[in-house]
Amino acid sequence: MAYNKFYTASSARYENGMKYRRCGRSGILLPEISLGLWHNFGDVNPLSNSIEMVHFAFDHGICHFDLANNYGPSYGSAEETFGSIMKKSFRPYRDELFISTKAGYDMWPGPYGNWGSRKYLMSSLDQSLKRMGLEYVDIFYSHRYDPSTPIEETLQALVDIVRQGKALYVGISRWPKEQAQEAYGYLAAHDVPCLLYQGKYNIFERSDEKNGIIEDASLAGTGYIAFSPLAQGLLTDRYLNGIPTGSRIANGGHLNKGALTNDTLRKISDLDKIARDRGQTLAEMSLSWILSNEHLTSVIIGASSTSQIASNLNALCSPEFTDEELSLISEIAS
């Protein structure tokens, strides 16, 4: 696909069925479905396809784009891709966009390119802003808790990042329960409340629900945004008949063959039957199931094509779950 430098966003972008939820006790509304750029937006992927997906998402009401410093591959290249789109087509819409980035995992060699020191977080954000061609991001996350750095150092860096105008809000991702509670208190006491907790949550992965992390966020006035809603493809029809060529398992990615046990295959098949009885695909039902939790603000999807985004958007038209369906889903997944 040739890049259209004269892109104009759809005038119906907020009338295509997207719904928006308030983020904790803040003025921010996020789309129920957000687009993550973890995979398929790096320099190993066709730029034209990335452009097409981002434009399609925005034209359908997805105004939140989730990135991190080392998304790609290669590291930094997803931000560079997004920066190219900002420069060429999204600049007029900057005030309609909610853009996130993060730092906390391996980014560059040496002692200052990882974890949660003040130096790393601030240096990383400066680099991210340059790659994306932005003066600020809407939210900057500590991507993981650093047990070796004083928690006050990490949190004060987040406070100062907001005060410097490099981020409008801050959040934490995958922090343990006790440290997350401490973060909420510290940030609120310094007048920079935690806007979002980003955690892994899907039908197969409910630890944040069971251990109280989602409830704690809600009580603190912090929103919760879920990533990996389809368990990296397990909660789709992709593996119902084995491992297809080109899938993440076949390509040796983050999802390995050990994840596809006979027990997991049985669960996927049983869940797929419930979805079909509801008139949905398994992926659509899996997203709908997450959004049925009123404590969740948004769910971050990944995609490799506009058709995948379109399919995921169908979850917004889901029929309500019956108590029997919810009970059966929980029983199957346990």
Side-chain angles (χ1 to χ4, degrees):
M1 170 185 168
Y3 173 63
N4 178 9
K5 64 180 179 179
F6 301 111
Y7 167 78
T8 299
S10 169
S11 60
R13 58 190 176 277
Y14 300 114
E15 302 166 8
N16 281 322
M18 180 56 69
K19 302 171 186 176
Y20 300 83
R21 294 188 183 185
R22 188 159 303 280
C23 191
R25 289 194 296 268
S26 77
I28 291 298
L29 296 172
L30 292 183
E32 289 189 340
I33 291 178
S34 301
L35 182 62
L37 278 67
W38 180 29
H39 290 295
N40 305 314
F41 292 88
D43 54 18
V44 299
N45 303 103
L47 177 60
S48 59
N49 192 49
S50 298
I51 292 169
E52 184 180 14
M53 286 191 288
V54 170
H55 286 177
F56 181 88
F58 187 53
D59 284 344
H60 289 79
I62 297 178
C63 54
H64 176 31
F65 297 93
D66 181 77
L67 297 105
N69 55 357
N70 61 0
Y71 284 2
S74 61
Y75 287 179
S77 60
E79 289 181 328
E80 290 174 350
T81 294
F82 194 79
S84 177
I85 298 171
M86 281 297 307
K87 180 179 179 180
K88 296 178 180 178
S89 58
F90 264 9
R91 186 67 59 189
Y93 306 102
R94 175 63 184 98
D95 291 338
E96 295 184 41
L97 304 176
F98 200 87
I99 302 167
S100 74
T101 195
K102 318 176 193 75
Y105 286 92
D106 175 58
M107 184 59 191
W108 63 81
Y112 313 125
N114 209 337
W115 292 100
S117 71
R118 178 183 182 88
K119 179 173 176 62
Y120 172 50
L121 296 180
M122 289 191 159
S123 297
S124 179
L125 178 54
D126 285 344
Q127 292 180 20
S128 292
L129 293 175
K130 288 179 182 177
R131 283 190 288 268
M132 292 188 284
L134 300 174
E135 295 179 354
Y136 67 93
V137 289
D138 295 280
I139 181 169
F140 177 72
Y141 292 91
S142 168
H143 207 168
R144 62 171 166 171
Y145 171 68
D146 180 354
S148 299
T149 296
I151 192 171
E152 296 84 2
E153 178 177 338
T154 299
L155 295 173
Q156 188 60 45
L158 297 182
V159 169
D160 292 343
I161 280 167
V162 171
R163 290 178 177 164
Q164 291 172 3
K166 295 179 180 179
L168 299 184
Y169 302 90
V170 293
I172 56 177
S173 177
R174 307 195 77 174
W175 277 43
K177 177 181 173 68
E178 181 179 344
Q179 286 75 24
Q181 290 176 325
E182 188 171 348
Y184 301 146
Y186 186 99
L187 293 171
H190 290 75
D191 300 319
V192 182
C194 182
L195 184 75
L196 280 168
Y197 183 105
Q198 185 171 135
K200 186 175 184 178
Y201 185 66
N202 57 58
I203 289 175
F204 286 155
E205 175 52 71
R206 301 176 65 174
S207 57
D208 280 1
E209 174 189 315
K210 294 175 181 177
N211 66 19
I213 282 180
I214 294 176
E215 183 180 6
D216 286 349
S218 179
L219 291 173
T222 296
Y224 183 99
I225 185 166
F227 72 89
S228 194
L230 304 180
Q232 297 190 52
L234 288 180
L235 289 167
T236 69
D237 59 8
R238 182 173 301 175
Y239 299 107
L240 286 171
N241 299 306
I243 301 175
T245 302
S247 65
R248 288 189 180 178
I249 290 180
N251 291 338
H254 287 269
L255 195 63
N256 59 53
K257 291 183 179 180
L260 205 62
T261 63
N262 289 334
D263 183 54
T264 299
L265 284 170
R266 177 189 57 78
K267 291 178 179 180
I268 293 170
S269 179
D270 290 346
L271 290 168
D272 182 65
K273 182 180 186 306
I274 297 175
R276 285 186 283 108
D277 288 345
R278 286 171 50 82
Q280 294 183 290
T281 65
L282 177 54
E284 291 167 6
M285 186 187 76
S286 298
L287 292 171
S288 300
W289 178 87
I290 293 175
L291 292 171
S292 69
N293 187 329
E294 61 182 11
H295 293 301
L296 266 68
T297 305
S298 181
V299 57
I300 300 169
I301 62 167
S304 59
S305 66
T306 57
S307 62
Q308 283 189 353
I309 298 174
S311 177
N312 288 338
L313 289 172
N314 290 333
L316 298 173
C317 304
S318 167
E320 289 189 12
F321 287 93
T322 65
D323 290 341
E324 181 181 359
E325 287 173 331
L326 291 173
S327 177
L328 187 55
I329 289 170
S330 295
E331 181 181 337
I332 292 170
S334 62

